[in-house]
Structures are given as C-alpha cells and as structure tokens.
C-alpha cells in the first residue's frame, strides 16, 4: 500500500487524467464519502454523464484513480531505490513510502475502499489490483536479493520474506489509517525496524 498524496510532476492529459487527479484531490481534502460523479464534474467542468462515458462505473473510477496514484508513487519509489546508498537505507525508504502518513491517509483510504469493493469483482479487475501489489513486491524482492549478494543482509528466501513483510506492513498500515487508538506512525516504524534488524542483520564474527 501507498503513502501520502503528492502533486503530479507532469502535465495532465485531458480529460481522463484530469478527472483522476481531481478524484484523488477530493479524497485528500474531503474524504471518500464526498467523492461523487456530479462533484467531480463540477471540479473539471464536465457533466457526470461525460465522466461515466470515460469510466462507466464508480468502481472503475476508483480503481483507475488508485492505478494513477500508484504511478505517481511508483516513480518516487524507483528514484529512492536507485540511490547509491546502502541497501538497508533504501529498504527503510521503501517502507516509509509504503506506510500511510496516519489516520485517513487518502491513498490508503482509497486502497481499503477498492479492496472492499473487489469482493464481487471479476477476474480481470482482480488481476489489475494484483499488479499494483506485485509492483511493490518485485521491488522488495530485488532489494533483498541485492542486499544479500553484497553481504549487507542475511540470506533469506526473498519471495517468502517479501510476502511476509508486506503482510506485516498491511496490518500495521491498516491500524494507522483507521486510527486505531494507541498506534502512531513512529511506533509502527520502530516495530518494523526491529523486525528487519532481527531478520536481516548479518551476524558478527
């Protein structure tokens, strides 16, 4: 799952991308409950029927908004992972991007809504959602393999470790975004750092 909303760095393609950006901005400013086709239409100067022409249903609009937001965050993730710093520093950066900023984080709010609506989704929709998950998974696996090959990490089964790590992040992230009492972001980061230290630190001779 993703992190905070950031402004797109490139010119928006009209009109589809303008709608997606407006949808994400509405979720960030007012919450998911205030996101309507009519409201989006007013934001971008279209009728709700025009928006339905592009997206068909609200479920499709939400999924495409999630895909669009993940593209923005994916560019930041790739930049962080390409830095010439130790693997552990890059791993911490990936974790920081993955976790929500806190209660009602808009990207995570959108993720949870799309997940909830996907219970009755078709196979093609599920595959699109899975691809969003796998983008994070592949980058995490590659980083684990690289770190182990350079002696920075203890050797692990990278696929299994990445799967378990993402499950841990999803659990903590859900606690953060719903505002579970007694849970804050720094506390979560400490738990995850401890887990990574215990699992990946190379034993000293």
């Amino acid at each position: 799952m993703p992190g905070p909303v950031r402004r797109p760095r490139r010119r928006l393609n009209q009109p589809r991308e303008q709608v997606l950006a407006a949808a994400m901005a509405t979720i960030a400013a007012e919450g998911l409950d205030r996101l309507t086709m009519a409201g989006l239409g007013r934001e971008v100067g279209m009728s709700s029927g025009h928006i339905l022409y592009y997206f068909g249903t609200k479920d499709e609009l939400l999924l495409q908004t999630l895909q669009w937001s993940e593209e923005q965050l994916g560019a930041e993730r790739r930049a962080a992972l390409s830095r010439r710093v130790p693997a552990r520093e890059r791993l911490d950066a990936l974790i920081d991007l993955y976790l929500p900023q806190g209660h009602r984080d808009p990207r995570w709010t959108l993720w949870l809504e799309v997940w909830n609506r996907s219970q009755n989704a078709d196979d093609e929709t599920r595959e699109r959602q899975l691809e969003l998950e796998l983008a994070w998974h592949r980058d995490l696996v590659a980083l684990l393999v690289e770190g182990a090959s350079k002696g920075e990490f203890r050797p692990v089964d990278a696929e299994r470790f990445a799967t378990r790590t993402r499950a841990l992040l999803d659990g903590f992230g859900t606690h953060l975004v719903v505002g579970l009492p007694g849970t804050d972001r720094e506390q979560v980061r400490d738990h995850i750092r401890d887990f990574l230290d215990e699992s990946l630190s190379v034993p000293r001779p």
Side-chain angles (χ1 to χ4, degrees):
M1 287 194 181
V5 171
R6 295 166 175 85
R7 293 183 180 275
R9 297 193 178 96
R10 54 194 173 84
R11 185 176 180 180
L12 301 180
N13 296 323
Q14 303 290 338
R16 173 184 167 277
E17 194 171 3
Q18 187 182 35
V19 174
L20 298 177
M24 199 69 233
T26 298
I27 295 170
E30 303 178 35
L32 195 56
D33 290 343
R34 300 295 297 273
L35 179 65
T36 65
M37 297 295 192
L40 275 179
R42 288 191 294 271
E43 286 290 324
V44 299
M46 300 179 194
S47 68
S48 56
H50 197 181
I51 293 176
L52 283 170
Y53 171 79
Y54 283 100
F55 300 101
T57 65
K58 188 171 182 179
D59 283 2
E60 179 63 22
L61 169 66
L62 292 175
L63 179 53
Q64 288 197 35
T65 302
L66 182 60
Q67 290 174 311
W68 180 82
S69 69
E70 282 293 296
E71 288 174 6
Q72 316 303 308
L73 191 57
E76 293 189 43
R77 186 177 71 248
R78 288 187 293 274
L81 293 177
S82 66
R83 294 172 58 211
R84 295 183 179 277
V85 296
R88 179 53 193 270
E89 189 173 333
R90 284 177 283 149
L91 178 56
D92 287 341
L94 184 147
I95 299 302
D96 200 49
L97 287 171
Y98 194 103
L99 289 173
Q101 291 299 299
H103 187 204
R104 296 180 179 174
D105 177 280
R107 291 183 186 273
W108 270 72
T109 296
L110 181 56
W111 263 110
L112 292 178
E113 181 68 12
V114 170
W115 279 355
N116 184 54
R117 288 170 177 257
S118 71
Q119 295 179 74
N120 299 314
D122 56 30
D123 290 343
E124 189 268 340
T125 298
R126 289 177 182 275
E127 286 295 326
R128 289 161 65 194
Q129 290 177 243
L130 177 61
E131 185 55 36
L132 297 178
E133 294 276 357
L134 291 179
W136 289 91
H137 182 83
R138 286 190 290 263
D139 284 346
L140 179 53
V141 167
L143 186 56
L144 292 168
V145 170
E146 178 191 343
S149 70
K150 294 180 176 178
E152 297 181 46
F153 293 155
R154 179 186 304 170
V156 295
D157 182 326
E159 286 284 345
R160 288 169 60 85
F161 191 86
T163 297
R164 293 172 178 177
T165 300
R166 287 192 303 109
L168 180 69
L169 294 173
D170 287 344
F172 275 127
T174 301
H175 290 180
L176 283 174
V177 75
V178 302
L180 190 71
T183 303
D184 61 55
R185 197 170 194 271
E186 193 54 42
Q187 179 189 63
V188 165
R189 292 175 68 187
D190 286 343
H191 279 302
I192 294 169
R193 280 194 292 262
D194 287 347
F195 166 72
L196 295 175
D197 286 341
E198 293 165 4
S199 304
L200 297 177
S201 294
V202 177
R204 295 182 179 180

